[in-house]
Amino acid sequence: EQTELCMVKKGTLVGTTTFPFGKSHLIRAVKKYARMPPSGVSAFLKLYVEGNGTGPLFERAEKLLQIAEMEWLNQLSRVLSYFSEELFLPQTLFITVDDDVAPLFARALEKEDFSTFTLSPAKLRIITLTTESLDKTVTWAPSLPHDPFVGLISSFANRLRYA
């Protein structure tokens, strides 16, 4: 439902902020402007992320998602600018999103140059935390859905338990 950005320096949380833009926002935007039912939007998102799909409805929804990606990037840039007023950002940004839309957000991030917010002119390194990448630190119950947000909390709690 939202994007949350937390700034951590040397293991200490030094700031956090959110803006109302996430997977649900994408679904609502496509549903509203393409006049698709929610099930159609979910199917479309899958096709879009996989790079498949044809026809005028797909093309219209694709344009809407590209606009939404730019809107998200603009909001993220504002947040990064806010954080960088006081601190230089680290070279690595970790992002956790629903697995089914992770490639969409990762592609959007690759389009943008965030080096103005860091000490180094090198490109900001983006690491997407998915259920697959969290498999090293989380044991998933076979009967439960794998959720990257729950996995991240579980991984962190496990680290605290053994600290």
Side-chain angles (χ1 to χ4, degrees):
E1 188 60 45
Q2 64 185 13
T3 296
E4 182 170 3
L5 187 69
C6 300
M7 178 64 62
V8 177
K9 287 282 191 174
K10 297 181 182 175
T12 302
L13 181 66
V14 294
T16 184
T17 189
T18 61
F19 55 92
F21 198 120
K23 178 181 174 181
S24 296
H25 180 88
L26 290 173
I27 290 171
R28 281 192 306 274
V30 173
K31 181 181 166 205
K32 178 180 178 183
Y33 295 110
R35 295 181 203 89
M36 285 184 180
S39 60
V41 174
S42 295
F44 166 75
L45 278 174
K46 184 177 182 344
L47 290 171
Y48 180 75
V49 166
E50 293 172 353
N52 297 324
T54 58
L57 183 59
F58 181 85
E59 291 169 8
R60 182 175 175 183
E62 184 177 36
K63 287 178 186 171
L64 291 169
L65 279 177
Q66 290 169 349
I67 291 167
E69 284 178 22
M70 291 309 301
E71 181 186 330
W72 181 75
L73 281 171
N74 288 336
Q75 291 186 38
L76 181 63
S77 289
R78 278 196 298 264
V79 168
L80 291 174
S81 177
Y82 165 77
F83 273 128
S84 69
E85 287 176 7
E86 307 262 335
L87 308 160
F88 282 106
L89 300 180
Q91 284 300 117
T92 305
L93 176 67
F94 293 91
I95 183 168
T96 305
V97 296
D98 294 295
D99 287 350
D100 57 341
V101 291
L104 185 143
F105 285 100
R107 273 198 312 254
L109 287 166
E110 288 172 5
K111 294 176 187 174
E112 196 70 24
D113 179 17
F114 296 108
S115 63
T116 57
F117 304 119
T118 64
L119 281 173
S120 167
K123 191 170 182 171
L124 189 65
R125 185 171 160 224
I126 309 293
I127 297 176
T128 304
L129 299 175
T130 61
T131 55
E132 183 180 334
S133 63
L134 291 168
D135 280 348
K136 298 172 189 121
T137 60
V138 176
T139 303
W140 306 97
S143 61
L144 296 176
H146 297 188
D147 183 311
F149 302 100
V150 172
L152 184 60
I153 292 167
S154 174
S155 181
F156 182 72
N158 195 39
R159 180 176 174 211
L160 288 176
R161 185 173 69 173
Y162 294 109

